[in-house]
Amino acid sequence: MDENAKNFILDFVAEDIAPGGRFEGMRVHTRFPPEPNGYLHIGHCKALCIDFGTAERFGGLTNLRMDDTNPAKEDTEFVEAIQEDIHWLGFDWGDRFFYGSDYFEKTYELAVGLIKKGLAYVCELTPEQFREYRGDVNTPARSPWRDRPVEESLDLFERMRAGEFPEGKYTLRAKIDLASGNFNMRDPVLYRIRYIEHHRQGTKWCVFPMYDFAHPIQDALEGITHSLCSLEYEDHRPLYDWVIEHADVPSRPRQIEFSRLGINYTVMSKRKLRRLVEEGYVSGWDDPRMPTLCGLRRRGYTPGAVRTFITRIGVSKVTSTVEYAFLEHCLREELNEKAERRMAVLRPVKLIVTNYPEGQRETFDVENNNLDEAAGTRPVSFSRELWIEADDFMEDAPKKYNRLYPGNEVRLKGAYIVRCTGCEKDEAGNVTAVLCEYDPDTRGGNAPDGRKVRGTIHWVNALDCADAEIRLYDNLFSDPEPDAAEDFITCLNPASLEVLTGCKVERALENAASTERFQFLRTGYFAPDSVDSRPDRLVFNRAVALKDSFKA
């Protein structure tokens, strides 16, 4: 979190730890509690940065706690992926790693304590009856089991744990207020029966706590001071506070809510993301078109760009949708400063320098980053035969076309000025080679007579280059609001991925690490694919194009 940033959460925390505050003299302690039923996405990143960043701002601590109270969808694969993503963003939880299921025994004991206090009871309404008796804004809810004797509820709850009853037969409910205007307080369910194997607890438990009951208890047991969560939990805060007040827990955390992150041209529902993966619309959770952090990382996003994006959108209670173009802008801004430049030809056609001596080669020193002199230079080899972009040549060029056409001069980046003399074609009329002559007095690209050359194009040496596959990515959805569609799948963008083969790149890129990012001149910012690329089969993903469509 930006050390100069200000928001209402930071104000609340500062007030709480100040003299006379709720947590005077205490160390700020937050937690990030992801549910291990999928991969983290850019929406989770906002909560993650707020949780860890707030603690960092005040010199505090953050716990990483896997919310595995719902065993139906959880998997250790997701646990490991979540940890990797958090570390990638630059945050760490030290030895403060927990599972919600670590507290099952204590949570059960606290539920028994509520029964003994007359604040919870075993209810046997069926799901259908539960809905029927729920009431409305003018009608209180009902439960004929609300006055069940304490001893009877204790007995039934113990037998629920022992597995005597089928799913749905009984629930444990808090006794709060059936007439409350906040439906979350109308005697909410605290426990339900589920016969399902838990990924860590196995079949030890067949009663599982509801999130609204388990979460405040877990926070209190870990000594959390500030439970920071998204805005949909605002109506649940009275229940959070009720549990803290009436259960025998050792501390009293404070819940504070903030708005979730919405981004256009994407979906962030885990259910929808899972469908994309399971039905094969994408190659996996790490498909570079996905909003998952592993997908963004594979595409070429940097942790710095993601954190900058989160910082700049700010923290508020107002729900809004951020342009995906702004996320791209943050990446482009960082890579423009830091990424080294390379030349890569995506749609190659041969350029033959007819007056250059056959068999001769020479080397030019080309700057790695024109914005950073400290980045130095790299050697780039040159010969009679080069590769250039096919659209850098036109026989019949329109006005203001400053690239190669018969009679026109262009500058080959870092090398020579050349004049186009024509082209070669196959029987079908397709251009197979562009012909030119170079001016040997223009080594380095400067004309000694001061003549103006408007166009500069990139190239690679045909005798000393590497082949590569280039993947050009666009938005996964063509509709800016796919969530609004009856079926979001109908909004998929058929042009979200274009795969180019036979591309030509500087040979030095064979040694590029998956963590490196490059600007391919005139094309965009690219990263080696962390899954498919290897020295003998180069694959590069376009992280973001050069053109910035975001307007502040």
Side-chain angles (χ1 to χ4, degrees):
M1 181 175 288
D2 184 345
E3 63 180 15
N4 297 314
K6 293 183 178 181
N7 60 61
F8 70 94
I9 292 179
L10 296 176
D11 291 342
F12 284 151
V13 174
E15 179 182 298
D16 286 342
I17 62 175
R22 180 171 178 169
F23 302 113
E24 179 184 358
M26 296 178 62
R27 191 174 193 180
V28 173
H29 202 155
T30 64
R31 84 291 169 269
F32 180 60
E35 193 174 358
N37 62 354
Y39 287 72
L40 295 185
H41 54 62
I42 189 68
H44 295 119
C45 189
K46 178 178 181 179
L48 192 161
C49 289
I50 290 174
D51 287 329
F52 281 91
T54 299
E56 284 185 354
R57 180 70 169 267
F58 292 96
L61 304 171
T62 300
N63 291 2
L64 175 58
R65 182 199 311 142
M66 296 296 157
D67 172 28
D68 61 347
T69 54
N70 179 7
K73 303 174 182 177
E74 291 147 8
D75 196 291
T76 53
E77 170 194 353
F78 301 131
V79 172
E80 294 169 358
I82 288 169
Q83 292 175 312
E84 181 180 2
D85 286 340
I86 296 173
H87 276 143
W88 176 69
L89 282 171
F91 296 114
D92 189 60
W93 53 90
D95 59 355
R96 298 174 303 281
F97 176 64
F98 306 99
Y99 287 90
S101 57
D102 292 340
Y103 308 106
F104 276 177
E105 190 68 50
K106 184 62 178 178
T107 305
Y108 179 85
E109 292 176 10
L110 293 172
V112 169
L114 290 179
I115 297 173
K116 290 179 178 179
K117 293 177 182 180
L119 296 175
Y121 60 95
V122 172
C123 180
E124 51 189 282
L125 290 178
T126 65
E128 295 76 16
Q129 290 172 325
F130 200 100
R131 287 190 291 270
E132 179 184 351
Y133 294 173
R134 181 175 174 81
D136 54 36
V137 292
N138 299 311
T139 308
R142 293 181 293 133
S143 173
W145 314 105
R146 197 169 196 263
D147 296 322
R148 189 190 294 274
V150 168
E151 292 303 321
E152 187 176 329
S153 284
L154 287 171
D155 175 65
L156 287 172
F157 191 46
E158 184 177 353
R159 291 162 64 192
M160 287 167 60
R161 174 177 179 170
E164 290 189 27
F165 309 117
E167 288 189 11
K169 174 64 176 175
Y170 294 111
T171 58
L172 180 70
R173 297 176 66 178
K175 186 184 290 188
I176 304 178
D177 182 2
L178 290 175
S180 174
N182 183 339
F183 278 56
N184 296 302
M185 301 296 282
R186 291 191 173 190
D187 288 14
V189 172
L190 305 182
Y191 268 87
R192 78 285 200 203
I193 301 171
R194 291 295 308 277
Y195 291 101
I196 188 169
E197 186 170 351
H198 189 279
H199 76 111
R200 295 186 68 248
Q201 301 287 337
T203 56
K204 178 180 178 181
W205 291 92
C206 61
V207 289
F208 292 94
M210 302 299 289
Y211 179 84
D212 280 347
F213 182 58
H215 187 70
I217 288 173
Q218 293 162 8
D219 285 348
L221 294 176
E222 291 179 8
I224 301 303
T225 57
H226 295 86
S227 180
L228 310 177
C229 55
S230 49
L231 202 58
E232 67 264 34
Y233 291 104
E234 186 172 39
D235 289 342
H236 297 248
R237 192 196 324 147
L239 179 53
Y240 183 100
D241 292 341
W242 185 92
V243 172
I244 293 298
E245 180 180 353
H246 294 96
D248 296 325
V249 292
S251 66
R252 300 175 64 83
R254 177 183 182 180
Q255 178 174 304
I256 304 173
E257 308 85 17
F258 54 87
S259 63
R260 299 180 72 173
L261 171 61
I263 303 180
N264 63 3
Y265 291 102
T266 191
V267 297
M268 287 189 281
S269 156
K270 282 186 182 178
R271 176 181 58 81
K272 292 180 178 180
L273 295 176
R274 185 185 293 272
R275 182 180 172 193
L276 290 172
V277 173
E278 293 179 348
E279 296 184 12
Y281 293 105
V282 295
S283 61
W285 288 95
D286 66 346
D287 187 299
R289 294 166 292 179
M290 291 279 275
T292 52
L293 294 184
C294 57
L296 291 170
R297 180 166 63 248
R298 182 176 176 186
R299 182 162 173 168
Y301 274 79
T302 65
V306 173
R307 290 182 64 166
T308 296
F309 170 73
I310 296 298
T311 297
R312 289 183 179 176
I313 62 175
V315 180
S316 75
K317 280 185 173 286
V318 179
T319 300
S320 61
T321 300
V322 182
E323 292 183 47
Y324 193 94
F326 183 48
L327 176 60
E328 294 180 320
H329 170 80
C330 292
L331 177 64
R332 190 181 291 109
E333 186 177 67
E334 177 181 323
L335 295 184
N336 185 47
E337 295 290 331
K338 297 180 180 179
E340 291 197 354
R341 278 51 168 166
R342 296 292 184 269
M343 292 193 283
V345 178
L346 275 56
R347 296 173 176 85
V349 66
K350 187 70 67 71
L351 177 68
I352 301 176
V353 187
T354 56
N355 64 333
Y356 193 85
E358 291 193 40
Q360 180 173 316
R361 295 193 194 185
E362 60 183 307
T363 299
F364 294 92
D365 288 328
V366 180
E367 76 273 6
N368 285 323
N369 187 329
N370 57 306
L371 300 180
D372 181 9
E373 187 175 339
T377 62
R378 67 189 186 282
V380 178
S381 66
F382 184 91
S383 72
R384 187 172 188 269
E385 294 190 0
L386 312 171
W387 292 109
I388 62 170
E389 295 286 355
D391 63 4
D392 279 342
F393 168 78
M394 294 184 70
E395 268 194 291
D396 299 311
K399 290 183 179 180
K400 296 185 179 181
Y401 182 82
N402 295 320
R403 287 167 279 172
L404 288 168
Y405 58 87
N408 193 46
E409 284 188 321
V410 301
R411 181 180 292 102
L412 298 179
K413 173 66 178 176
Y416 291 106
I417 293 174
V418 298
R419 181 184 300 275
C420 180
T421 58
C423 65
E424 296 177 353
K425 299 181 181 179
D426 60 19
E427 294 180 356
N430 299 310
V431 174
T432 57
V434 179
L435 307 177
C436 71
E437 294 180 348
Y438 85 114
D439 182 345
D441 294 329
T442 60
R443 194 178 198 281
N446 296 314
D449 58 5
R451 67 183 185 271
K452 292 184 178 180
V453 177
R454 297 186 182 277
T456 298
I457 66 174
H458 62 280
W459 53 276
V460 294
N461 185 355
L463 303 181
D464 183 26
C465 66
D467 286 343
E469 177 181 304
I470 304 290
R471 298 171 182 174
L472 304 178
Y473 291 98
D474 200 349
N475 291 327
L476 184 57
F477 295 95
S478 54
D479 190 318
E481 298 182 20
D483 280 324
E486 184 174 345
D487 182 358
F488 75 103
I489 293 297
T490 62
C491 301
L492 284 168
N493 178 10
S496 63
L497 170 61
E498 181 181 6
V499 179
L500 304 178
T501 57
C503 305
K504 310 297 181 180
V505 302
E506 293 184 36
R507 183 165 296 281
L509 287 170
E510 288 179 334
N511 300 316
S514 62
T515 54
E516 290 186 275
R517 306 291 180 261
F518 301 96
Q519 183 194 104
F520 287 176
L521 295 184
R522 304 169 62 217
T523 306
Y525 296 96
F526 291 78
D529 187 88
S530 57
V531 175
D532 297 329
S533 189
R534 54 181 188 267
D536 62 339
R537 182 179 177 265
L538 297 179
V539 179
F540 288 91
N541 298 325
R542 185 173 67 186
V544 65
L546 285 179
K547 186 177 180 181
D548 194 340
S549 61
F550 177 76
K551 294 181 180 180

